[in-house]
Amino acid sequence: MSTELIRYSVSGQIAEIVLDRGPVNALSIPLIDALLAALAKARDDDAVRAVIISSAHKVFCAGLDLDIVRGKPAIETKAFLERLYFALNDTQYRMGKPTIAAVDGAVRAGGMTIAISCDMIVAGDGSTFGYPEIDVGLIPAIHFVQLPRLVGKHQAFGPLFLGEPFDAATAYRMGLLSEVVPKGTALERAREIARKLAAKSPIVMKIGRDAFMRAVDADFRRSVENTAESFVVVASTEDCQEGLNAFVEKRTPNYKGR
């Protein structure tokens, strides 16, 4: 686990995992590997009964580092997705203890993947959310599976295909968040919830959470594998590379439909 990218600590049976790749926690393979290692460490520690994921910065996570897909072969893009989509889901699925995302800032794209992978999301009322992938020629592939299951088809389509950010009140109304709290208090509220969860029987929590995950995640992995293949195909198109280059160069993309 890279201490330069992730801060990990345990206090009162609660593990706190803090994303710390400033300034916006852009997702790189090393950052995802560090997050996975931290989650595995918390999972394997019998003294830990609840887990919180938060950010050391004003932005919770702005999404993937564009260098992962910009000008890269499909095999490299797929290696990243195998971590962010499959390994993260598998690790969370088998955590055996509750996880909470404490959000007090912007959450975008791959940052949404991390937040939604948790059992609960507590957000400050100044937080914003969004799936801007389509504006740089990509697709928010995993969220084609995740978001409709959480909020329904018609609530999901607009955020996924318009790419426009939305506020915490909207996210809560959609059913995306567990709680909205005053700005700057999400972490403390997450700690309060974590303490209550940690006070439960650990064996009952594990058996119960395992049953809950089986009930709500039926066929999830197969569906995600299909969308991951679509992401890789999209990333190899000329329009995707044009969109990424235009974003980096701060110009309007010239899409040609191929």
Side-chain angles (χ1 to χ4, degrees):
M1 186 194 325
S2 172
T3 56
E4 296 178 356
L5 300 174
I6 292 286
R7 299 183 196 171
Y8 182 90
S9 61
V10 177
S11 178
Q13 300 179 314
I14 300 166
E16 293 195 12
I17 299 170
V18 184
L19 306 178
D20 192 11
R21 188 189 182 210
V24 297
N25 292 322
L27 295 176
S28 62
I29 287 180
L31 177 56
I32 290 295
D33 285 346
L35 173 60
L36 292 171
L39 285 167
K41 184 174 182 178
R43 178 196 62 208
D44 296 339
D45 185 349
D46 290 340
V48 171
R49 296 191 181 181
V51 180
I52 297 171
I53 299 177
S54 65
S55 170
H57 305 280
K58 292 181 179 180
V59 173
F60 178 80
C61 178
L64 80 165
D65 189 325
L66 295 184
D67 285 343
I68 289 172
V69 293
R70 186 173 175 234
K72 296 294 193 299
I75 191 67
E76 291 189 27
T77 301
K78 194 166 184 179
F80 173 76
L81 295 184
E82 285 175 349
R83 289 168 166 84
L84 181 62
Y85 286 6
F86 307 138
L88 179 60
N89 175 70
D90 292 348
T91 302
Q92 286 277 32
Y93 187 93
R94 303 198 179 280
M95 279 295 291
K97 52 197 73 174
T99 59
I100 306 168
V103 174
D104 246 320
V107 192
R108 299 290 188 274
M112 298 292 288
T113 305
I114 293 173
I116 290 174
S117 76
C118 295
D119 300 318
M120 299 181 69
I121 304 175
V122 178
D125 57 16
S127 302
T128 61
F129 305 84
Y131 305 89
E133 289 95 327
I134 199 163
D135 290 332
V136 294
L138 286 167
I139 56 172
I142 192 173
H143 300 285
F144 292 165
V145 180
Q146 285 180 323
L147 198 60
R149 293 186 181 205
L150 292 172
V151 306
K153 170 185 173 181
H154 296 109
Q155 287 289 322
F157 193 89
L160 294 174
F161 286 93
L162 290 172
E164 297 172 348
F166 49 97
D167 60 19
T170 300
Y172 182 76
R173 175 184 56 76
M174 291 167 61
L176 191 58
L177 304 178
S178 306
E179 293 186 19
V180 178
V181 296
K183 182 179 180 180
T185 67
L187 181 55
E188 187 49 49
R189 176 56 180 155
R191 287 170 174 162
E192 181 181 347
I193 295 170
R195 286 192 290 269
K196 292 180 179 180
L197 292 169
K200 314 299 182 186
S201 161
I203 186 61
V204 172
M205 178 64 73
K206 174 173 171 39
I207 294 171
R209 187 183 182 277
D210 287 350
F212 180 84
M213 297 303 286
R214 289 194 298 270
V216 302
D217 278 6
D219 296 327
F220 179 85
R221 186 181 176 92
R222 183 188 306 172
S223 298
V224 170
E225 286 176 350
N226 291 335
T227 61
E229 290 299 322
S230 297
F231 186 100
V232 172
V233 170
V234 167
S236 66
T237 64
E238 290 184 22
D239 271 6
C240 173
Q241 294 302 314
E242 166 62 13
L244 295 171
N245 290 333
F247 178 82
V248 171
E249 296 164 9
K250 296 181 171 53
R251 60 175 174 80
T252 301
N254 179 24
Y255 293 130
K256 296 181 179 179
R258 60 177 185 269

